Amino acid sequence: MDSNLNLINVFTPTRYWSNYLGIMFILIFASSFLNLADGASGLADIASSAIFYLIPGIYSIKYATTINSFRHAEHKTMVLEEICRRQGSFIRYLGIAYAFVFTLVTLGILAAIAIPAYNDYLQRAGG
Amino acid sequence: MNNIYSTPKTVTQTIDSSESGITDTMIANLARGRKWAKFLGVCSYLYFVVLIFGLIFIAVGLFISEYAVFNFMANLLISAMIVVSIFFSFKIGRILMSYSRAIRDLQESHTLEDLTASQQYFRSFTKLLGLFFTTILAAVIVFFILMLTTGLGAMLFMN
C-alpha cells in the first residue's frame, strides 16, 4: 500500500499543469469559432481545431481527473495503471496528429512543385 | 455443497515487478507514448529550424526596404512572436527527447527513480506547452487590440 502512495506522489505534480494545458487547448479550440463567419473555410478551421486542440484537451483533463480519483479508489494499482495508460495515450495521440500534419505538409509541398511542372510539360508536349 | 470437480476460479491480480510497486502494465502503458514522444521531439526541432529561417527572412525584410513585405511595426510584432516560438520549440523538443529516454531507462530498470525522472519531464512538457499557449493567446489579444486602436490590420495589407 505504501508503494502505491509513493507512486501517486510521483504522478500528482503532473496533475495541475495537465489540467491547465487541457483548459488552454479547449480555449484555443473555442477561439476557432471566431472564424465561423468565413463560411466553409471557417468550418474546416473548426474541424482541424477539434482534432489538434479539443481532443488533446479532453485527453489532458481526463488524465488529471484520473489522478484525482486515486484517493477514493478501491483498487489503487488499477488506477495507477490507468493513469499511465492515459499519459501514454495523450502523447501517442499528439504524435499521430502531428504525423498526419507532417504528411499533409509534405504532400502539399510535393504537389506545389509537381503540378506546375506537369502542366508545363503538357503545354510543351501539346505545343 | 461445493463441487470439487469444477474449474478453479482464476484470480486476476497484477503482480508487482519490483518492490517499488511499479507493475509491468504501468511500464507498458507509459511505453505506448515513448516513440511518439521522440517523434514529437524531432518535429519540435524541425519547427525550431524552420522558425529560425523565418526569422532570418523577416530580418532581411526589415532592413532592406525594397524587400519589405509588411509594415515595420507588424514585422517587429511577428518577429517577437517567432523568437518566443523558437525558445519554446527548442525547450519542448529537448524535454520530449529526455522524456522518451527516461521511459526507455524505466523499461530497463523498473525503478522509482526513473519513473520520477520521466514524470518530471512530463510535468515540464505540460507546463511549457501550457505557457506557450498562454503566450500565444495573450499575443493574439494584444494584436487584436492594436488592430482596433491603431489600424495595424490595415497596415498589414497596405504594402
Side-chain angles (χ1 to χ4, degrees):
Chain A
M1 191 56 75
D2 282 337
S3 63
N4 281 342
L5 283 174
N6 281 339
L7 286 176
I8 197 66
N9 285 338
V10 172
F11 288 104
T12 304
T14 64
R15 179 182 56 157
Y16 308 107
W17 283 106
S18 295
N19 234 336
Y20 181 76
L21 180 64
I23 291 165
M24 291 313 295
F25 266 128
I26 289 170
L27 273 178
I28 289 177
F29 167 70
S31 71
S32 71
F33 277 89
L34 292 171
N35 299 328
L36 203 59
D38 293 347
S41 70
L43 282 176
D45 197 33
I46 292 170
S48 63
S49 276
I51 293 169
F52 297 113
Y53 300 115
L54 179 66
I55 298 174
I58 292 169
Y59 266 106
S60 194
I61 288 175
K62 272 188 170 177
Y63 168 74
T65 315
T66 314
I67 295 176
N68 279 340
S69 72
F70 178 84
R71 211 183 318 158
H72 306 293
E74 201 176 323
H75 304 288
K76 307 279 189 198
T77 312
M78 280 174 71
V79 176
L80 285 167
E81 286 171 357
E82 182 66 9
I83 290 167
C84 296
R85 191 186 68 78
R86 286 198 187 279
Q87 190 180 116
S89 300
F90 172 62
I91 295 282
R92 195 170 67 157
Y93 181 84
L94 280 182
I96 291 170
Y98 283 89
F100 180 67
V101 171
F102 196 69
T103 314
L104 277 186
V105 168
T106 312
L107 285 177
I109 291 169
L110 285 177
I113 296 166
I115 291 172
Y118 180 69
N119 284 339
D120 188 45
Y121 167 77
L122 280 184
Q123 273 181 354
R124 275 189 286 127
Chain B
M1 192 178 167
N2 288 336
N3 178 10
I4 57 166
Y5 299 108
S6 66
T7 317
K9 287 189 177 76
T10 51
V11 179
T12 50
Q13 190 182 7
T14 317
I15 299 160
D16 288 355
S17 59
S18 66
E19 285 176 6
S20 59
I22 303 169
T23 64
D24 287 342
T25 315
M26 282 180 204
I27 294 170
N29 284 346
L30 282 175
R32 288 169 77 186
R34 183 174 79 84
K35 285 186 177 164
W36 288 110
K38 198 172 185 177
F39 171 75
L40 283 170
V42 172
C43 282
S44 207
Y45 281 141
L46 279 177
Y47 188 56
F48 167 76
V49 173
V50 168
L51 283 174
I52 283 185
F53 276 112
L55 194 66
I56 291 168
F57 280 121
I58 286 182
V60 168
L62 262 178
F63 296 110
I64 306 171
S65 60
E66 58 263 35
Y67 294 115
V69 181
F70 299 131
N71 174 276
F72 185 80
M73 193 177 167
N75 245 335
L76 271 184
L77 278 173
I78 293 168
S79 305
M81 274 314 298
I82 291 180
V83 169
V84 170
S85 302
I86 283 173
F87 168 76
F88 278 107
S89 60
F90 183 75
K91 288 282 277 183
I92 287 172
R94 212 174 62 174
I95 285 168
L96 280 168
M97 297 299 258
S98 305
Y99 172 75
S100 175
R101 267 196 300 273
I103 297 283
R104 191 194 58 201
D105 293 344
L106 177 68
Q107 279 179 299
E108 288 165 6
S109 68
H110 289 224
T111 57
L112 192 64
E113 286 74 30
D114 284 327
L115 181 72
T116 310
S118 71
Q119 292 317 300
Q120 276 169 354
Y121 288 125
F122 184 73
R123 181 174 165 270
S124 303
F125 166 65
T126 49
K127 183 178 165 182
L128 269 177
L129 205 58
L131 289 176
F132 179 55
F133 285 148
T134 311
T135 316
I136 296 250
L137 272 182
V140 167
I141 291 166
V142 168
F143 205 76
F144 192 70
I145 291 167
L146 280 175
M147 268 171 71
L148 290 176
T149 54
T150 64
L152 188 65
M155 283 180 202
L156 270 173
F157 301 103
M158 257 169 56
N159 294 325

